[in-house]
Amino acid sequence: MPLLWISAGFLAGVFLASRWLLPWPVWGALAVFSVGVGVLELRLPFLSGWRKRWGRLAPLPAGFLLAALLAGAARFQAARPIFDQADLAPYNGQGEVRFSAMVVEPPQKRERSIQLRLSAEEILAMNGVSVSIPVSGLALATLPPGGDWRYGDRLELTGELVDPPEGESFSYRAYLARQGVYTMINYPSIRLLERGAGNVLLTGIYAFRDQAYRVLNRLYPQPEAALLSGILLGIEQDIPASLERAFRDTGTAHIIAISGFNIAILAALFSSLAGRLIPDRWLSLLVAILGVAVYTILVGAAASVVRAAVMGGLTLLGSQIGRRNAGLNALAFTGAAMCAFNPDLLWDVSFQLSFSATLGLVWFGVPLENIARQWLEGRFSSNTARRLTGPLSEYFLFTLAAQVTTLPVILYHFQRLSLSSLLANPLVLPPQPLVMTLGGLSALAGMVLYPLGKALSFLVWPLLLFTIRVVESLSRINGGAVVVGQTTMFWAAIYFLALFLLAKNLAFVWQQRARLKAYAGLAVLCLGSVVAWRGFYGAPDGRLHLTVYFTSSGPAVQIQTPQGRYLFIHYGSPNRELNSFLARRMPIFHQRPDGLLLPAGAARALEGLPDFLDRFPPGWILWNSQISEYRSAARLKTCAQNQGIPLLPLESGQSISLGGAARLEALAQEEEGALLGLVSGGVRVVFASGGPESLARLPTNWSSPGVILLLSEASLKDAAPQEWLAFQPGLVIAPAGAPGLPSNWLALDRRHWVEATFDDGDVRISARE
């Protein structure tokens, strides 16, 4: 137990230092002082009463626990990078740089580019002036597709070094910084200097992996070959985007994405299988750890996979001997040791998934297995119950245990809840050990004797086809994947606290199951009522609804037609605010908008769109033809094409029927964006993205008084509010904060939104928080 407390204190200190910045020598001095306090706690006689009272809470002196916390804080601050001229990062943004570097990982091939991770060696020239400056540091180079680049290549690159970009909803800079990368270079000129300069062992591993990948593509058709390459080798580049999305929506992406989740599951599977086949407990533990190690090497031994494998392997010790305290000690120590090596791991999603998944197995794996065996023994013979418990635990209970503890991590980072995962995982997980075993054997046999590998592939192909068909079928369930919006760290902490209390009292809860049945029924009834209410709330009521919400990047408009179709209009770039708002407003069983309109003409409208399309994929997209000329538009085109979303130009005169007499029209094109109008009976709404002069472009049938004006921040930037009054609007909806807004204007801050309900030519306006 002291190891658990010390490790937990160290991890808490790492987190504390990220919030409260002090130089690392200060943290270190405080840690040394705290050790002295702990020694005094043990030695001074008059503190015996304090030691007894504190001992009821923790198994070690408070000074030692505080020292562990302060040591974690000191380690975090000591790991902050301090760059000098011997580092590569200070040369970012200094103009054209020519430098030499070595490729330290296999190239990451994408549809339109190749990414190389480089270790810099020497700067050879700056802005055309020859120099010789030895440097160190990692860089990420983006190159055009093609080119025979390999691990261990020494290259000479010429281009501009830049800082990684900062997104509004996702910080790519922070993501790369956690991996020690602070520099990017995009599409440089490049020259090969030397082959095979890397580590001999890694060169052999990567060569074996590449050969296995080529053999798998010969043995299997697509997309089965792509799926098996992802499962066995961690190479996911050939998996179709639609299939990849289906795996995400059904909560089965851990099968192909080599991460902490599936490493933890594999560790549990190897442990259980080895325990049944090998009587000696310690030998079976060794075999299970070797199985994890072999799989780690097979998939390329990337840093994230090695971290997950180390965590899963070490924590097998506690779970194998059946003591959860030992498992918790091993897990906490492993996490603390990894963060001591790289404190930024605490914010790495892969690390969090590894830690939480393994925590679920330690907390609930063995107890759930025991409960399942007791339940089966009450209905079958002991031998039958024992035979059934193994497969039930391996293919369902272990997965359930890991899913329960990874749920808050998934909701916090991805804001998506897969309801179909509880059905998908029990269906697709049972064949996976055979897929991995026979698929690996077919690859090995095919590398030696191709006909033998082909014969084995006929045994694996039906299992791969079954996996794909099940995942694709379940992904089509309406409401199977629900976007839940932003989850705060506070609620994640409350969730883990509740799980901790449940884990401590799981046996007691099972004993009291008869009394809990009534409460469980009530909970199911309440949950069903909530789901039914959400479904009823989002059901069409025969009226047209217009919802307006102002985000930090621009106004957002959601339209619900009388028939229940959903259209979405956004003038800015989708961000976390918008995703959270839509998650609350979209019905639980209608998470996919029918259409998306992008009328803005600025390049910022493209920022964050790929992530938005991943969470809320629309049936079609109408976009301003002006933004199609920007370079970033290529990524949107690729994303829409991969997801099968029609991408159409938005042109003046287009009209979209909203049901009945209601319609949405593109009235005019202007520099800031398209001028849109909505008409329902005698009510008209104009969405203005430019200044008052833009209204001069309105058709004559739209120039009547009484129209509702929706203004953006750009509309008020260069024009006084009074200039809009010449148009005689009946109502103006504008963002709050602009000076001089008339009192009769409806000004919304970012905490409020307004809903307009159209019914037989009348309109009802309501503002809500």
Side-chain angles (χ1 to χ4, degrees):
M1 286 296 289
L3 182 62
L4 172 63
W5 283 82
I6 291 174
S7 301
F10 184 88
L11 292 172
V14 172
F15 179 79
L16 173 67
S18 69
R19 295 288 192 267
W20 192 11
L21 302 180
L22 285 176
W24 73 264
V26 176
W27 290 115
L30 291 174
V32 173
F33 176 78
S34 297
V35 171
V37 172
V39 173
L40 292 178
E41 283 185 80
L42 295 175
R43 296 293 180 88
L44 295 179
F46 64 86
L47 291 177
S48 59
W50 159 258
R51 287 197 299 269
K52 182 179 294 186
R53 290 191 299 271
W54 177 256
R56 297 169 185 169
L57 299 175
L60 72 166
F64 291 164
L65 183 59
L66 181 60
L69 184 144
L70 294 171
R75 179 65 188 98
F76 176 83
Q77 287 298 331
R80 298 309 90 202
I82 301 176
F83 299 120
D84 56 27
Q85 297 304 308
D87 295 297
L88 185 65
Y91 300 96
N92 295 353
Q94 301 298 315
E96 186 178 83
V97 175
R98 178 162 57 90
F99 68 102
S100 61
M102 189 184 77
V103 181
V104 294
E105 288 185 6
Q108 296 293 318
K109 296 181 180 179
R110 308 187 185 279
E111 185 174 356
R112 297 179 179 271
S113 64
I114 294 178
Q115 287 190 333
L116 301 180
R117 185 154 300 194
L118 309 169
S119 176
E121 297 174 343
E122 182 182 8
I123 292 181
L124 304 173
M126 294 187 62
N127 297 313
V129 179
S130 297
V131 295
S132 179
I133 306 175
V135 292
S136 61
L138 296 177
L140 188 65
T142 302
L143 308 176
D148 182 22
W149 312 114
R150 309 172 192 171
Y151 165 78
D153 286 350
R154 290 189 65 248
L155 307 174
E156 182 182 280
L157 303 96
T158 304
E160 183 178 2
L161 306 178
V162 297
D163 295 323
E166 282 271 24
E168 189 168 0
S169 59
F170 173 72
S171 176
Y172 194 50
R173 181 179 302 176
Y175 169 76
L176 290 179
R178 289 193 290 268
Q179 304 172 42
V181 180
Y182 299 93
T183 300
M184 292 183 65
I185 182 169
N186 297 319
Y187 301 100
S189 60
I190 188 168
R191 183 168 67 93
L192 178 64
L193 299 178
E194 181 184 354
R195 290 271 193 204
N199 180 275
V200 176
L201 177 60
L202 288 179
T203 300
I205 291 175
Y206 293 142
F208 173 83
R209 181 173 179 244
D210 291 341
Q211 177 64 16
Y213 169 71
R214 289 190 292 269
V215 169
L216 289 177
N217 278 275
R218 290 183 61 196
L219 294 175
Y220 298 90
Q222 294 291 356
E224 288 80 4
L227 176 59
L228 189 56
S229 297
I231 293 173
L232 290 178
L233 308 174
I235 300 176
E236 308 168 27
Q237 62 193 32
D238 299 327
I239 299 177
S242 59
L243 181 58
E244 192 172 4
R245 178 177 181 81
F247 274 97
R248 287 200 306 270
D249 288 346
T250 55
T252 53
H254 56 85
I255 293 175
I256 53 176
I258 310 301
S259 65
F261 185 96
N262 64 315
I263 288 289
I265 296 295
L266 282 171
L269 289 174
F270 286 143
S271 175
S272 181
L273 290 172
R276 293 211 308 268
L277 297 176
I278 303 174
D280 186 276
R281 184 169 58 186
W282 296 106
L283 182 58
S284 66
L285 173 64
L286 178 61
V287 170
I289 292 176
L290 286 175
V292 174
V294 170
Y295 179 73
T296 302
I297 294 174
L298 189 63
V299 298
S304 60
V305 183
V306 171
R307 290 197 301 266
V310 170
M311 184 171 293
L314 289 180
T315 51
L316 276 177
L317 176 63
S319 59
Q320 186 75 353
I321 64 177
R323 292 179 56 197
R324 281 190 288 172
N325 286 343
L328 284 174
N329 284 337
L331 175 62
F333 175 74
T334 304
M338 289 181 172
C339 287
F341 180 75
N342 180 6
D344 289 321
L345 280 181
L346 193 61
W347 290 266
D348 185 82
V349 179
S350 175
F351 174 82
Q352 293 173 9
L353 287 172
S354 302
F355 193 94
S356 57
T358 309
L359 180 64
L361 294 173
V362 172
W363 269 354
F364 299 110
V366 173
L368 286 177
E369 188 174 19
N370 293 335
I371 289 174
R373 186 176 62 254
Q374 293 174 17
W375 185 83
L376 290 171
E377 286 176 348
R379 288 156 178 80
F380 304 98
S381 66
S382 297
N383 291 334
T384 303
R386 193 161 39 251
R387 287 197 299 268
L388 292 176
T389 301
L392 179 63
S393 300
E394 294 162 11
Y395 302 131
F396 179 70
L397 295 181
F398 290 161
T399 303
L400 179 63
Q403 283 182 317
V404 165
T405 48
T406 55
L407 179 61
V409 178
I410 293 172
L411 295 184
Y412 181 80
H413 289 287
F414 307 112
Q415 303 172 13
R416 180 186 292 267
L417 174 63
S418 176
L419 301 179
S420 59
S421 63
L422 293 178
L423 179 60
N425 277 289
L427 289 176
V428 302
L429 278 183
Q432 300 315 308
L434 278 177
V435 168
M436 296 179 62
T437 305
L438 295 178
L441 288 176
S442 70
L444 292 173
M447 295 169 68
V448 178
L449 186 63
Y450 179 78
L452 179 58
K454 190 65 177 177
L456 289 173
S457 71
F458 289 120
L459 301 176
V460 185
W461 177 80
L463 302 177
L464 293 169
L465 183 63
F466 170 80
T467 301
I468 292 173
R469 292 293 182 264
V470 168
V471 168
E472 288 180 335
S473 299
L474 293 178
S475 68
R476 298 189 185 101
I477 297 177
N478 196 12
V482 180
V483 179
V484 297
Q486 187 174 359
T487 303
T488 64
M489 195 176 296
F490 171 79
W491 289 112
I494 293 295
Y495 181 90
F496 273 115
L497 178 61
L499 286 183
F500 170 74
L501 296 176
L502 176 62
K504 292 285 287 184
N505 302 280
L506 188 59
F508 173 77
V509 171
W510 176 250
Q511 292 173 0
Q512 302 296 320
R513 60 188 181 277
R515 296 182 180 180
L516 294 175
K517 284 183 179 179
Y519 297 103
L522 181 61
V524 171
L525 179 62
C526 293
L527 180 61
S529 300
V530 171
V531 172
W533 168 250
R534 283 294 305 270
F536 173 78
Y537 179 76
D541 57 4
R543 293 178 293 182
L544 179 69
H545 296 265
L546 179 73
T547 304
V548 180
Y549 176 70
F550 285 98
T551 71
S552 57
S553 63
V557 180
Q558 177 185 282
I559 300 174
Q560 180 185 355
T561 70
Q563 292 76 27
R565 294 169 57 209
Y566 283 85
L567 306 181
F568 183 69
I569 307 171
H570 192 41
Y571 282 86
S573 58
N575 54 21
R576 184 167 294 198
E577 294 175 78
L578 185 61
N579 292 339
S580 180
F581 173 73
L582 272 189
R584 296 194 306 268
R585 288 292 302 164
M586 292 293 289
I588 193 170
F589 296 120
H590 195 139
Q591 292 283 305
R592 178 168 182 166
D594 295 276
L596 172 65
L597 283 84
L598 303 173
R604 65 184 177 90
L606 298 171
E607 298 175 4
L609 265 176
D611 181 58
F612 178 83
L613 296 183
D614 182 59
R615 296 180 179 180
F616 301 97
W620 46 262
I621 299 176
L622 281 175
W623 66 336
N624 194 316
S625 57
Q626 296 180 26
I627 60 176
S628 64
E629 301 174 2
Y630 294 105
R631 175 184 290 182
S632 52
R635 187 181 175 196
L636 173 61
K637 293 178 181 177
T638 301
C639 185
Q641 181 181 3
N642 289 340
Q643 298 194 39
I645 302 173
L647 191 60
L648 308 170
L650 179 62
E651 300 174 351
S652 299
Q654 284 181 326
S655 179
I656 302 171
S657 173
L658 301 179
R663 66 183 185 277
L664 184 68
E665 296 184 5
L667 303 175
Q669 288 278 8
E670 49 191 13
E671 184 177 350
E672 295 84 358
L675 190 66
L676 300 179
L678 183 148
V679 58
S680 177
V683 181
R684 286 177 167 81
V685 182
V686 174
F687 307 94
S689 57
E693 67 280 356
S694 64
L695 300 184
R697 302 186 181 92
L698 285 176
T700 55
N701 61 329
W702 280 83
S703 58
S704 60
V707 73
I708 299 175
L709 276 179
L710 175 62
L711 304 181
S712 64
E713 292 181 354
S715 304
L716 298 172
K717 185 177 180 181
D718 299 320
Q722 289 73 17
E723 296 182 45
W724 293 94
L725 298 180
F727 191 67
Q728 298 181 328
L731 175 68
V732 177
I733 305 173
L741 291 181
S743 59
N744 62 337
W745 283 26
L746 186 55
L748 298 176
D749 57 28
R750 293 174 191 168
R751 295 185 297 108
H752 295 81
W753 48 275
V754 64
E755 181 177 3
T757 303
F758 299 83
D759 190 7
D760 294 332
D762 297 326
V763 60
R764 185 175 71 252
I765 305 292
S766 58
R768 304 182 184 181
E769 183 173 0

